[in-house]
Amino acid sequence: MDYKNFIRKFSSIIVALIAVSLGLLLPGIGLLWHPYTSIFLALIMFFVALNVKPREFINSLRNYKIILLALCLVFLVPPVFSVVGIPFFKPVEYAALVIAFSSPAAISSVFWCDVFRGHTPLALIISMVTNILALITIPITILFVTQTIAQIDSAAIFTNLLFILVVPLVAAQVLRRILSQKTQKIVVRSPPIQQALVLFLIWGAVAPGAIFVKESPVEFLWLLFFIMLILSASFAVAYFSGKRFGRSSAIALSVASSHKNSTLAIVIGELVLGPIALPALIANLVGQNLFVIPARAVLYFSEDESSKVCV
């Protein structure tokens, strides 16, 4: 494979790697647009939703079995796997990791599901449902791990979900109905725009945590290794448990269960555990964004040759 084909086929994960690197090496620049990451994410969701057919979305919503499986894979499997880390981490670090692993699917998981050729409507539903249910599941997890009752700003979460997920979805579907031909042209030409948005999104998200990485690089690398290990196990379990629903659904499940809402985890973890939990939560944010690289490689090389495309 020559380098041009390599870049075309793995452009999205190359962008993710560059973005994480820039966030750690040039955090000052990333902090300039850190306040606007929600806007970047909403725009990404709009472009992804342009390619979502309403009938596919409704059919996925009716399949309650796969949605129940998704809830188990998102909320139960990663925290259960994380039990192996109890002997290796301080209580506060482990509690932070549990909060991170029990967080809902990231809204950006819908984008990565689309990149990985998964069932995007299913990923969209999983992201929406798990973020709503997180208002209940995360306080229960925190109570179980820390014996602390956490107060979560449900209004802020709902508002954020509405702005980042619901509004772009509705706007995209309205545009599809009104200007169907132009919408297809936008879909064809949008990948470079989406990748640019992902670059700024990840760069801005990672930038605030660069200081913690520089202060304790060894601790960061150890946390990162453990996080990548748990994400790998969760990804594999989700993929193989979802294969009976088809490859595209299995991909959606595996992405949703391994690409969590790390920003929400940082907000809640710092609120409950204090600043001492930030190194583990920052390592989780970096790990979540780096994990798309091996995940993409595994899924790509497991595809049939005829189904491989440049993304």
Side-chain angles (χ1 to χ4, degrees):
M1 181 187 299
D2 61 63
Y3 75 95
K4 290 184 179 180
N5 284 332
F6 178 85
I7 292 175
R8 281 198 298 268
K9 291 179 179 179
F10 296 96
S11 58
S12 294
I13 59 174
I14 292 173
V15 167
L17 179 60
I18 293 172
V20 171
S21 301
L22 290 173
L24 295 176
L25 297 175
L26 299 173
I29 299 176
L31 287 173
L32 295 176
W33 50 78
H34 174 74
Y36 308 107
T37 51
S38 294
I39 297 175
F40 297 151
L41 189 52
L43 289 171
I44 292 169
M45 282 305 308
F46 172 75
F47 286 116
V48 172
L50 284 175
N51 210 26
V52 174
K53 298 177 181 178
R55 181 170 294 182
E56 292 179 344
F57 182 84
I58 294 172
N59 289 339
S60 297
L61 195 59
R62 289 173 176 171
N63 193 345
Y64 70 92
K65 290 183 179 179
I66 196 169
I67 294 176
L68 290 176
L69 175 61
L71 295 180
C72 293
L73 292 170
V74 171
F75 289 126
L76 296 179
V77 172
V80 169
F81 280 148
S82 71
V83 171
V84 301
I86 292 177
F88 304 105
F89 297 104
K90 300 173 185 176
V92 172
E93 288 179 330
Y94 178 70
L97 290 172
V98 172
I99 291 174
F101 288 136
S102 60
S103 294
I107 295 174
S108 57
S109 65
V110 182
F111 166 79
W112 289 113
C113 180
D114 188 52
V115 170
F116 296 172
R117 293 171 57 86
H119 191 48
T120 307
L122 176 60
L124 186 61
I125 292 169
I126 295 172
S127 178
M128 187 181 301
V129 172
T130 56
N131 275 275
I132 293 173
L133 290 180
L135 298 172
I136 300 172
T137 60
I138 290 182
I140 292 174
T141 301
I142 292 173
L143 180 62
F144 179 75
V145 175
T146 68
Q147 285 76 55
T148 301
I149 298 176
Q151 298 293 329
I152 297 179
D153 189 349
S154 57
I157 292 178
F158 271 116
T159 302
N160 197 46
L161 193 63
L162 185 69
F163 174 72
I164 295 175
L165 196 59
V166 178
V167 171
L169 176 61
V170 172
Q173 294 306 308
V174 170
L175 189 62
R176 273 179 60 96
R177 182 174 291 273
I178 297 175
L179 301 170
S180 58
Q181 292 184 348
K182 291 186 177 181
T183 299
Q184 290 306 311
K185 292 181 181 179
I186 295 174
V187 170
V188 172
R189 297 175 182 176
S190 67
I193 300 174
Q194 292 184 53
Q195 290 173 357
L197 290 169
V198 167
L199 174 70
F200 288 110
L201 172 68
I202 298 177
W203 188 350
V206 172
I211 185 172
F212 297 101
V213 178
K214 293 177 181 178
E215 289 178 349
S216 305
V218 176
E219 179 186 2
F220 168 77
L221 289 174
W222 169 234
L223 285 164
L224 186 63
F225 171 77
F226 179 75
I227 289 165
M228 296 289 276
L229 190 66
I230 300 302
L231 294 179
S232 299
S234 302
F235 184 92
V237 169
Y239 181 79
F240 287 110
S241 63
K243 282 194 73 175
R244 62 194 178 100
F245 297 103
R247 177 179 168 84
S248 64
S249 294
I251 292 173
L253 290 170
S254 58
V255 172
S257 65
S258 60
H259 198 68
K260 300 298 200 77
N261 193 335
S262 50
T263 302
L264 179 64
I266 290 174
V267 172
I268 295 176
E270 184 179 14
L271 176 67
V272 175
L273 303 173
I276 194 173
L278 282 176
L281 297 169
I282 294 298
N284 174 67
L285 185 149
V286 175
Q288 298 280 346
N289 287 292
L290 285 178
F291 184 71
V292 299
I293 299 173
R296 173 64 180 128
V298 168
L299 291 174
Y300 176 81
F301 289 112
S302 66
E303 286 181 353
D304 295 330
E305 288 296 326
S306 59
S307 64
K308 291 181 178 179
V309 295
C310 299
V311 290

Short mmCIF file of all heavy atoms in Angstrom, two decimals, residues 86-125:
data_model
loop_
_atom_site.label_atom_id
_atom_site.label_comp_id
_atom_site.label_asym_id
_atom_site.label_seq_id
_atom_site.Cartn_x
_atom_site.Cartn_y
_atom_site.Cartn_z
N ILE A 86 -8.17 -2.37 40.85
CA ILE A 86 -8.23 -2.00 42.28
C ILE A 86 -6.87 -2.09 42.98
O ILE A 86 -6.49 -1.17 43.70
CB ILE A 86 -9.28 -2.87 43.02
CG1 ILE A 86 -10.69 -2.50 42.52
CG2 ILE A 86 -9.19 -2.66 44.53
CD1 ILE A 86 -11.79 -3.35 43.14
N PRO A 87 -6.09 -3.17 42.77
CA PRO A 87 -4.80 -3.26 43.48
C PRO A 87 -3.74 -2.28 42.98
O PRO A 87 -2.73 -2.09 43.64
CB PRO A 87 -4.35 -4.70 43.22
CG PRO A 87 -5.54 -5.42 42.68
CD PRO A 87 -6.35 -4.38 41.99
N PHE A 88 -3.95 -1.69 41.81
CA PHE A 88 -2.89 -0.92 41.16
C PHE A 88 -3.06 0.60 41.27
O PHE A 88 -2.15 1.34 40.90
CB PHE A 88 -2.81 -1.29 39.67
CG PHE A 88 -2.60 -2.75 39.43
CD1 PHE A 88 -3.65 -3.56 39.00
CD2 PHE A 88 -1.37 -3.35 39.68
CE1 PHE A 88 -3.47 -4.91 38.78
CE2 PHE A 88 -1.17 -4.69 39.47
CZ PHE A 88 -2.22 -5.48 39.02
N PHE A 89 -4.22 1.04 41.78
CA PHE A 89 -4.47 2.48 41.82
C PHE A 89 -4.92 2.92 43.21
O PHE A 89 -5.47 2.13 43.98
CB PHE A 89 -5.53 2.88 40.79
CG PHE A 89 -5.14 2.61 39.38
CD1 PHE A 89 -5.67 1.52 38.69
CD2 PHE A 89 -4.24 3.43 38.72
CE1 PHE A 89 -5.31 1.27 37.38
CE2 PHE A 89 -3.86 3.18 37.41
CZ PHE A 89 -4.40 2.10 36.74
N LYS A 90 -4.68 4.20 43.49
CA LYS A 90 -5.18 4.78 44.74
C LYS A 90 -6.71 4.80 44.69
O LYS A 90 -7.30 4.83 43.60
CB LYS A 90 -4.64 6.20 44.89
CG LYS A 90 -3.12 6.30 44.93
CD LYS A 90 -2.68 7.75 44.90
CE LYS A 90 -1.16 7.85 44.83
NZ LYS A 90 -0.69 9.26 44.71
N PRO A 91 -7.36 4.79 45.84
CA PRO A 91 -8.84 4.79 45.86
C PRO A 91 -9.46 5.91 45.04
O PRO A 91 -10.44 5.69 44.32
CB PRO A 91 -9.16 4.94 47.35
CG PRO A 91 -7.99 4.33 48.05
CD PRO A 91 -6.79 4.67 47.21
N VAL A 92 -8.89 7.11 45.11
CA VAL A 92 -9.45 8.24 44.36
C VAL A 92 -9.26 8.02 42.86
O VAL A 92 -10.17 8.30 42.06
CB VAL A 92 -8.80 9.57 44.80
CG1 VAL A 92 -9.24 10.71 43.88
CG2 VAL A 92 -9.16 9.90 46.24
N GLU A 93 -8.09 7.53 42.46
CA GLU A 93 -7.84 7.27 41.04
C GLU A 93 -8.79 6.21 40.52
O GLU A 93 -9.36 6.36 39.41
CB GLU A 93 -6.39 6.81 40.84
CG GLU A 93 -5.36 7.90 41.01
CD GLU A 93 -3.95 7.38 40.82
OE1 GLU A 93 -3.70 6.18 41.13
OE2 GLU A 93 -3.08 8.15 40.40
N TYR A 94 -8.96 5.16 41.30
CA TYR A 94 -9.86 4.09 40.85
C TYR A 94 -11.30 4.57 40.77
O TYR A 94 -12.02 4.26 39.81
CB TYR A 94 -9.78 2.88 41.80
CG TYR A 94 -10.73 1.78 41.41
CD1 TYR A 94 -10.51 1.02 40.26
CD2 TYR A 94 -11.88 1.53 42.16
CE1 TYR A 94 -11.39 0.03 39.88
CE2 TYR A 94 -12.77 0.53 41.79
CZ TYR A 94 -12.51 -0.21 40.65
OH TYR A 94 -13.40 -1.18 40.25
N ALA A 95 -11.72 5.38 41.75
CA ALA A 95 -13.08 5.93 41.71
C ALA A 95 -13.27 6.79 40.47
O ALA A 95 -14.33 6.75 39.81
CB ALA A 95 -13.35 6.74 42.97
N ALA A 96 -12.25 7.58 40.12
CA ALA A 96 -12.33 8.42 38.92
C ALA A 96 -12.44 7.56 37.67
O ALA A 96 -13.21 7.88 36.75
CB ALA A 96 -11.09 9.32 38.83
N LEU A 97 -11.70 6.47 37.63
CA LEU A 97 -11.75 5.57 36.48
C LEU A 97 -13.12 4.91 36.35
O LEU A 97 -13.65 4.76 35.23
CB LEU A 97 -10.66 4.50 36.60
CG LEU A 97 -9.22 4.98 36.41
CD1 LEU A 97 -8.23 3.88 36.74
CD2 LEU A 97 -8.99 5.48 34.98
N VAL A 98 -13.70 4.54 37.47
CA VAL A 98 -15.03 3.92 37.44
C VAL A 98 -16.06 4.92 36.91
O VAL A 98 -16.93 4.57 36.10
CB VAL A 98 -15.43 3.41 38.83
CG1 VAL A 98 -16.89 2.95 38.82
CG2 VAL A 98 -14.54 2.25 39.25
N ILE A 99 -15.97 6.17 37.36
CA ILE A 99 -16.88 7.19 36.85
C ILE A 99 -16.71 7.35 35.35
O ILE A 99 -17.69 7.46 34.60
CB ILE A 99 -16.63 8.54 37.57
CG1 ILE A 99 -17.07 8.44 39.04
CG2 ILE A 99 -17.37 9.68 36.86
CD1 ILE A 99 -16.73 9.66 39.87
N ALA A 100 -15.46 7.34 34.90
CA ALA A 100 -15.19 7.49 33.46
C ALA A 100 -15.74 6.31 32.66
O ALA A 100 -16.38 6.49 31.61
CB ALA A 100 -13.68 7.61 33.23
N PHE A 101 -15.54 5.09 33.18
CA PHE A 101 -15.98 3.90 32.45
C PHE A 101 -17.49 3.69 32.50
O PHE A 101 -18.04 2.98 31.67
CB PHE A 101 -15.27 2.66 33.01
CG PHE A 101 -13.81 2.58 32.65
CD1 PHE A 101 -12.87 2.22 33.61
CD2 PHE A 101 -13.37 2.87 31.38
CE1 PHE A 101 -11.52 2.15 33.29
CE2 PHE A 101 -12.03 2.81 31.05
CZ PHE A 101 -11.10 2.45 32.01
N SER A 102 -18.14 4.29 33.48
CA SER A 102 -19.60 4.14 33.59
C SER A 102 -20.35 5.30 32.95
O SER A 102 -21.57 5.38 33.04
CB SER A 102 -20.01 4.01 35.06
OG SER A 102 -19.63 5.16 35.79
N SER A 103 -19.62 6.18 32.28
CA SER A 103 -20.24 7.32 31.60
C SER A 103 -20.98 6.84 30.35
O SER A 103 -20.70 5.77 29.82
CB SER A 103 -19.17 8.35 31.21
OG SER A 103 -18.60 8.93 32.36
N PRO A 104 -21.91 7.64 29.85
CA PRO A 104 -22.66 7.26 28.64
C PRO A 104 -21.79 7.34 27.40
O PRO A 104 -20.65 7.84 27.44
CB PRO A 104 -23.78 8.31 28.60
CG PRO A 104 -23.19 9.50 29.28
CD PRO A 104 -22.34 8.95 30.38
N ALA A 105 -22.31 6.84 26.30
CA ALA A 105 -21.60 6.92 25.03
C ALA A 105 -21.42 8.37 24.64
O ALA A 105 -22.33 9.19 24.79
CB ALA A 105 -22.38 6.16 23.95
N ALA A 106 -20.25 8.69 24.13
CA ALA A 106 -19.99 10.05 23.67
C ALA A 106 -20.85 10.35 22.45
O ALA A 106 -21.10 9.47 21.62
CB ALA A 106 -18.52 10.22 23.33
N ILE A 107 -21.27 11.58 22.33
CA ILE A 107 -22.03 11.96 21.14
C ILE A 107 -21.15 11.84 19.89
O ILE A 107 -21.63 11.50 18.81
CB ILE A 107 -22.58 13.39 21.31
CG1 ILE A 107 -23.60 13.40 22.46
CG2 ILE A 107 -23.22 13.90 20.02
CD1 ILE A 107 -24.11 14.75 22.83
N SER A 108 -19.85 12.06 20.06
CA SER A 108 -18.93 11.91 18.93
C SER A 108 -18.79 10.46 18.49
O SER A 108 -18.24 10.19 17.41
CB SER A 108 -17.55 12.48 19.29
OG SER A 108 -17.03 11.86 20.46
N SER A 109 -19.29 9.51 19.30
CA SER A 109 -19.24 8.10 18.88
C SER A 109 -20.08 7.88 17.61
O SER A 109 -19.82 6.95 16.85
CB SER A 109 -19.75 7.19 20.00
OG SER A 109 -21.12 7.43 20.28
N VAL A 110 -21.07 8.75 17.39
CA VAL A 110 -21.89 8.65 16.18
C VAL A 110 -21.02 8.93 14.95
O VAL A 110 -21.12 8.26 13.92
CB VAL A 110 -23.07 9.63 16.24
CG1 VAL A 110 -23.95 9.49 14.99
CG2 VAL A 110 -23.90 9.39 17.49
N PHE A 111 -20.15 9.93 15.07
CA PHE A 111 -19.23 10.25 13.97
C PHE A 111 -18.30 9.08 13.70
O PHE A 111 -18.09 8.67 12.55
CB PHE A 111 -18.42 11.51 14.30
CG PHE A 111 -17.23 11.71 13.40
CD1 PHE A 111 -17.40 12.24 12.13
CD2 PHE A 111 -15.95 11.36 13.81
CE1 PHE A 111 -16.30 12.43 11.29
CE2 PHE A 111 -14.85 11.54 12.99
CZ PHE A 111 -15.04 12.08 11.71
N TRP A 112 -17.71 8.52 14.76
CA TRP A 112 -16.75 7.43 14.57
C TRP A 112 -17.43 6.18 14.06
O TRP A 112 -16.85 5.41 13.29
CB TRP A 112 -15.99 7.16 15.87
CG TRP A 112 -15.04 8.27 16.20
CD1 TRP A 112 -15.12 9.14 17.24
CD2 TRP A 112 -13.88 8.65 15.45
NE1 TRP A 112 -14.09 10.04 17.20
CE2 TRP A 112 -13.31 9.76 16.12
CE3 TRP A 112 -13.27 8.17 14.30
CZ2 TRP A 112 -12.15 10.39 15.66
CZ3 TRP A 112 -12.13 8.79 13.83
CH2 TRP A 112 -11.58 9.89 14.50
N CYS A 113 -18.66 5.95 14.47
CA CYS A 113 -19.42 4.82 13.93
C CYS A 113 -19.60 4.97 12.42
O CYS A 113 -19.47 4.00 11.67
CB CYS A 113 -20.78 4.72 14.63
SG CYS A 113 -21.81 3.37 14.05
N ASP A 114 -19.86 6.19 12.00
CA ASP A 114 -20.01 6.47 10.57
C ASP A 114 -18.69 6.24 9.84
O ASP A 114 -18.66 5.64 8.76
CB ASP A 114 -20.48 7.91 10.38
CG ASP A 114 -20.85 8.23 8.94
OD1 ASP A 114 -21.66 7.48 8.36
OD2 ASP A 114 -20.34 9.22 8.39
N VAL A 115 -17.59 6.67 10.43
CA VAL A 115 -16.26 6.46 9.84
C VAL A 115 -15.94 4.98 9.74
O VAL A 115 -15.37 4.51 8.74
CB VAL A 115 -15.18 7.19 10.67
CG1 VAL A 115 -13.78 6.78 10.23
CG2 VAL A 115 -15.34 8.69 10.56
N PHE A 116 -16.32 4.22 10.76
CA PHE A 116 -16.01 2.79 10.81
C PHE A 116 -16.99 1.94 10.01
O PHE A 116 -16.94 0.72 10.06
CB PHE A 116 -16.00 2.30 12.26
CG PHE A 116 -14.93 2.91 13.12
CD1 PHE A 116 -14.92 2.69 14.49
CD2 PHE A 116 -13.95 3.72 12.59
CE1 PHE A 116 -13.94 3.24 15.30
CE2 PHE A 116 -12.97 4.29 13.39
CZ PHE A 116 -12.97 4.04 14.74
N ARG A 117 -17.92 2.59 9.30
CA ARG A 117 -18.92 1.89 8.48
C ARG A 117 -19.88 1.07 9.35
O ARG A 117 -20.32 -0.02 8.96
CB ARG A 117 -18.25 0.99 7.44
CG ARG A 117 -17.49 1.77 6.38
CD ARG A 117 -16.66 0.85 5.49
NE ARG A 117 -17.50 -0.17 4.85
CZ ARG A 117 -18.13 0.02 3.70
NH1 ARG A 117 -18.04 1.17 3.08
NH2 ARG A 117 -18.85 -0.95 3.17
N GLY A 118 -20.22 1.63 10.50
CA GLY A 118 -21.19 0.98 11.38
C GLY A 118 -22.60 1.47 11.10
O GLY A 118 -22.83 2.27 10.19
N HIS A 119 -23.54 1.00 11.90
CA HIS A 119 -24.95 1.38 11.73
C HIS A 119 -25.17 2.69 12.49
O HIS A 119 -25.47 2.70 13.69
CB HIS A 119 -25.84 0.27 12.28
CG HIS A 119 -27.29 0.43 11.92
ND1 HIS A 119 -27.70 0.71 10.64
CD2 HIS A 119 -28.42 0.37 12.66
CE1 HIS A 119 -29.02 0.80 10.59
NE2 HIS A 119 -29.48 0.61 11.82
N THR A 120 -25.05 3.80 11.77
CA THR A 120 -25.08 5.13 12.38
C THR A 120 -26.39 5.43 13.11
O THR A 120 -26.35 5.99 14.22
CB THR A 120 -24.81 6.21 11.32
OG1 THR A 120 -23.59 5.89 10.63
CG2 THR A 120 -24.68 7.57 11.95
N PRO A 121 -27.57 5.09 12.57
CA PRO A 121 -28.81 5.36 13.33
C PRO A 121 -28.81 4.68 14.69
O PRO A 121 -29.29 5.26 15.67
CB PRO A 121 -29.91 4.80 12.41
CG PRO A 121 -29.33 4.87 11.04
CD PRO A 121 -27.88 4.57 11.21
N LEU A 122 -28.28 3.47 14.76
CA LEU A 122 -28.22 2.76 16.04
C LEU A 122 -27.29 3.49 17.01
O LEU A 122 -27.61 3.66 18.19
CB LEU A 122 -27.76 1.32 15.83
CG LEU A 122 -27.56 0.49 17.10
CD1 LEU A 122 -28.86 0.39 17.89
CD2 LEU A 122 -27.04 -0.91 16.75
N ALA A 123 -26.13 3.92 16.52
CA ALA A 123 -25.20 4.66 17.36
C ALA A 123 -25.82 5.95 17.87
O ALA A 123 -25.60 6.36 19.02
CB ALA A 123 -23.92 4.96 16.58
N LEU A 124 -26.60 6.59 17.03
CA LEU A 124 -27.29 7.82 17.41
C LEU A 124 -28.27 7.57 18.54
O LEU A 124 -28.33 8.33 19.52
CB LEU A 124 -28.01 8.38 16.18
CG LEU A 124 -28.69 9.74 16.29
CD1 LEU A 124 -27.67 10.83 16.61
CD2 LEU A 124 -29.39 10.07 14.97
N ILE A 125 -29.03 6.50 18.43
CA ILE A 125 -30.01 6.14 19.47
C ILE A 125 -29.30 5.79 20.77
O ILE A 125 -29.71 6.23 21.86
CB ILE A 125 -30.88 4.96 19.00
CG1 ILE A 125 -31.79 5.41 17.85
CG2 ILE A 125 -31.72 4.41 20.15
CD1 ILE A 125 -32.48 4.28 17.14
#
